[in-house]
Amino acid sequence: MSLKDGLILEFLEDHDLELPAKPLYRNLNRHGHEIGYSTVRQRLRELEANGLVEKVDEAGYYQVSSKGSAYLDGELEANELKEN
């Protein structure tokens, strides 16, 4: 887990959003978070691999999963996630 992972998870959950990578990148930066588009794409892949976000549809929209919410609520530790 990186600091950017927490940022992405918190942003999606706090705003109750389902977004693909590009709009997520644009909105993160619009809200004052400096993060690159390639970083957002990479971190979404890692978050999905760890079950913290899930694709909503084939268009590539992501939302926080129940596991991601548990992580944000402190019910799941980073060391409990699978390592890639």
Side-chain angles (χ1 to χ4, degrees):
M1 292 289 293
S2 77
L3 293 175
K4 301 297 184 188
D5 294 341
L7 171 66
I8 290 169
L9 285 173
E10 287 176 8
F11 188 83
L12 288 172
E13 184 163 270
D14 289 350
H15 297 282
D16 191 26
L17 296 171
E18 299 173 353
L19 290 173
K22 188 72 149 195
L24 177 57
Y25 150 76
R26 290 180 56 101
N27 280 284
L28 283 165
N29 281 277
R30 185 172 163 256
H31 284 86
H33 305 289
E34 293 186 24
I35 186 170
Y37 176 55
S38 62
T39 301
V40 170
R41 287 186 336 182
Q42 177 187 11
R43 299 321 309 159
L44 281 171
R45 283 192 298 268
E46 290 294 320
L47 290 166
E48 183 181 24
N50 283 299
L52 299 173
V53 297
E54 57 195 7
K55 277 190 181 176
V56 177
D57 59 23
E58 293 304 314
Y61 280 71
Y62 292 89
Q63 69 181 7
V64 176
S65 67
S66 57
K67 187 175 179 181
S69 291
Y71 174 78
L72 290 172
D73 291 341
E75 299 168 6
L76 181 66
E77 297 294 324
N79 61 0
E80 297 177 72
L81 303 173
K82 73 174 187 170
E83 294 199 19
N84 295 318

